[in-house]
Amino acid sequence: MDQGNIVICRCEEVTLKELIAAAETYRCSARELKLRTRAGMGCCGGRTCRRFIDMVARQATGEAPSHGIPLGYQPPVRPVAFGQLGGVIG
Amino acid sequence: MSATGRIEEHPILGPLPERSVVTFRFNGVPMQAYQGETIAAALLAAGIRTLRLHEEKGTPRGIYCNIGHCFECRVTVNGRTGIRACLTLVEEGMEITAGEILPTPLKKGGHPA
């Protein structure tokens, strides 16, 4: 099986191939990789793929750069509908 | 209840407890389940594993973590979206609809509107 087809981010269906291509083309940190490929922005909040994105980024840019902003945990912890925020739905 | 995916006679836990039957609708199809079952369990017992399609790519999705973390089992219940089927118990007269692929007309090769 072609390793590249492994889906790393299940929520956004980002494959290993896409992550590696983005990481090597732009030599980006984990956070930039997330911004470029949406991996880690899915409904589960990066629970599944956060570590893999870090690993792919570290592999592409050698040691993790000190200034690199770690892949933070962004609120909300659980997905919230705008309707709930606006009090439209319960 | 038709020949279902339930374990009627468990070697250790014994027979299924007596529970009232609840009728609900999944995508407009009337279905039955026992009181106290989650939506995911009720649909799985009825042989339905696809609870939604991936919003962008249309890949069929269903139960994954079954403990409320991954949101793969999110369905629309009585008009409210993003309801986790694995945590929500089936209630009488529930209207459950599976998630569909969403249009992505602006994306190269995206799903038309």
Side-chain angles (χ1 to χ4, degrees):
Chain A
M1 175 185 143
D2 170 11
Q3 298 283 334
N5 286 333
I6 298 176
V7 174
I8 297 294
C9 173
R10 182 178 24 82
C11 302
E12 296 293 325
E13 285 203 15
V14 181
T15 60
L16 181 57
K17 219 183 322 192
E18 291 163 20
L19 281 172
I20 291 179
E24 277 166 4
T25 320
Y26 305 101
R27 307 202 60 73
C28 38
S29 68
R31 189 158 182 283
E32 187 184 345
L33 200 52
K34 169 176 175 178
L35 296 176
R36 283 188 183 280
T37 61
R38 275 196 68 78
M41 286 184 175
C43 246
C44 87
R47 281 174 180 73
T48 317
C49 58
R50 178 187 313 283
R51 289 191 49 74
F52 297 121
I53 300 170
D54 284 335
M55 283 153 66
V56 169
R58 176 167 298 125
Q59 204 179 3
T61 59
E63 230 340 283
S66 58
H67 65 279
I69 307 160
L71 218 43
Y73 288 80
Q74 309 296 354
V77 176
R78 293 276 186 254
V80 175
F82 278 110
Q84 283 168 310
L85 290 180
V88 173
I89 50 179
Chain B
M1 206 70 69
S2 62
T4 65
R6 291 178 180 81
I7 300 174
E8 308 282 348
E9 192 59 43
H10 193 278
I12 298 167
L13 302 176
L16 274 180
E18 276 310 314
R19 286 171 296 179
S20 61
V21 174
V22 166
T23 315
F24 64 98
R25 287 152 63 93
F26 178 67
N27 285 345
V29 175
M31 315 193 67
Q32 291 188 324
Y34 288 120
Q35 183 72 32
E37 281 182 337
T38 65
I39 297 174
L43 291 175
L44 183 63
I48 293 171
R49 302 183 59 180
T50 304
L51 300 178
R52 71 181 180 92
L53 300 181
H54 186 269
E55 287 72 13
E56 192 181 334
K57 307 258 172 69
T59 326
R61 295 296 182 97
I63 299 174
Y64 181 69
C65 80
N66 208 25
I67 53 170
H69 275 301
C70 68
F71 273 82
E72 282 295 327
C73 64
R74 57 183 182 269
V75 285
T76 305
V77 174
N78 299 336
R80 283 190 59 188
T81 58
I83 304 293
R84 289 171 283 186
C86 67
L87 292 185
T88 315
L89 299 187
V90 179
E91 281 153 18
E92 186 57 40
M94 237 180 191
E95 277 295 328
I96 304 168
T97 38
E100 294 299 326
I101 187 168
L102 298 178
T104 48
L106 305 179
K107 199 165 181 291
K108 281 196 292 295
H111 191 74

